[in-house]
Amino acid sequence: MNREALFFDIDGTVLSEITKEIPASTVDALKRAHDAGHFLFINTGRTYCSVPVELKKLPFDGYLCGCGIYFTFDEEIIFEKHLDPKRGDEIADYMTKCQIDGIFEGAEDVYFTSRVSRFDRLENTKKYMNNRGLGIERYMEQRRCPYDKIFIYTDEKSDVKAFFEFIKDDMEVIDRGSNTFECILKGYTKGTAIDWVLEHFGMTRDQSYVFGDSSNDLAMFRHAGHAIAMGAHDQVLEPYTEFVTKTVEEDGIAYAMKKYGLID
């Protein structure tokens, strides 16, 4: 069996957003693929600190986090890129001016403002993060929080256009739907992360397989030799999808890996 490089999104791909669990079939498929000699990578928009601990117990060779700005292999940090903290404060201040709220994500922690947000979904996310020990040691008002990307929430009160103009030299924006946006460092994507891995290991594009479901997986789908969309996925992925597998809950990861001969 040839060695291939497999890249997995987390939410809605490996981890069910319905059950909040990793299916046993996925765990088994990952172990079998690793035993077969394939490289396994998480390729996520999440920064490293917010990768669920249960995923870190699985046989992944490396983690590509923050949409391409942080890469570990065999528990060693291979590459990292950060936003200048001073510029980070300026962006956070302008967010407030534009009546936008969000999660400020760094490699070691996530950060929130101390005020209660008018966005219920953000408050729910804050509780989720706090329960995992994140976002509780430092507020954005304390300045110079080392964050590198932002997940923002907007509504009719928000001056989205002005904010996007303000960050255009530093960050690119991914529309995540329902008036939410992911702001990532300019020049880095899930796709550039794949390119780095293939070049580093002397592998061809045809040796790369990606598994995803959401709009922030688009760059990953564009770069890979084989793009597999989960049964429930954002339609923006359709033009670049080679195969649509079953949903997470229907053992979609194992189903696709068997179809491609990555596992027996």
Side-chain angles (χ1 to χ4, degrees), residues 57-242:
K57 296 177 181 178
L58 297 178
F60 288 105
D61 296 287
Y63 298 85
L64 312 173
C65 299
C67 289
I69 60 173
Y70 186 91
F71 171 33
T72 72
F73 180 75
D74 198 21
E75 300 184 356
E76 178 183 353
I77 299 174
I78 304 299
F79 172 81
E80 56 185 323
K81 176 69 176 179
H82 299 291
L83 178 67
D84 175 70
K86 181 180 178 181
R87 179 57 176 161
D89 284 344
E90 294 172 352
I91 291 173
D93 290 343
Y94 204 76
M95 271 181 64
T96 301
K97 180 178 179 180
C98 293
Q99 298 194 61
I100 293 170
D101 211 342
I103 309 164
F104 300 84
E105 303 174 63
E108 298 182 357
D109 203 354
V110 299
Y111 309 93
F112 302 93
T113 63
S114 59
R115 66 181 181 276
V116 175
S117 174
R118 71 179 185 276
F119 298 101
D120 291 338
R121 286 179 296 166
L122 176 55
E123 285 299 308
N124 289 335
T125 300
K126 185 186 297 185
K127 291 176 183 177
Y128 168 82
M129 293 290 188
N130 290 170
N131 287 337
R132 288 179 171 256
L134 298 170
I136 56 179
E137 295 187 0
R138 190 172 175 183
Y139 289 118
M140 286 301 298
E141 286 85 354
Q142 293 172 270
R143 317 299 287 177
R144 299 298 175 98
C145 291
Y147 75 89
D148 306 305
K149 64 186 291 284
I150 322 169
F151 193 94
I152 66 173
Y153 296 79
T154 69
D155 59 16
E156 67 281 353
K157 297 179 181 179
S158 306
D159 191 344
V160 176
K161 184 177 180 180
F163 180 68
F164 290 167
E165 178 66 22
F166 186 77
I167 67 171
K168 68 179 183 180
D169 291 336
D170 307 278
M171 293 182 145
E172 297 178 4
V173 179
I174 302 172
D175 187 343
R176 297 302 302 273
S178 302
N179 296 314
T180 63
F181 302 87
E182 201 163 11
C183 305
I184 64 177
L185 291 190
K186 194 167 186 176
Y188 299 88
T189 68
K190 287 187 176 184
T192 59
I194 290 174
D195 288 343
W196 199 100
V197 170
L198 295 181
E199 182 178 352
H200 184 74
F201 291 105
M203 303 178 80
T204 66
R205 186 181 180 194
D206 193 56
Q207 289 176 277
S208 62
Y209 295 75
V210 300
F211 302 77
D213 72 298
S214 66
S215 57
N216 81 346
D217 294 320
L218 182 57
M220 186 165 74
F221 273 49
R222 285 173 169 167
H223 280 68
H226 307 279
I228 297 98
M230 303 306 293
H233 62 273
D234 194 308
Q235 293 303 299
V236 72
L237 301 178
E238 282 289 339
Y240 306 94
T241 297
E242 182 175 81

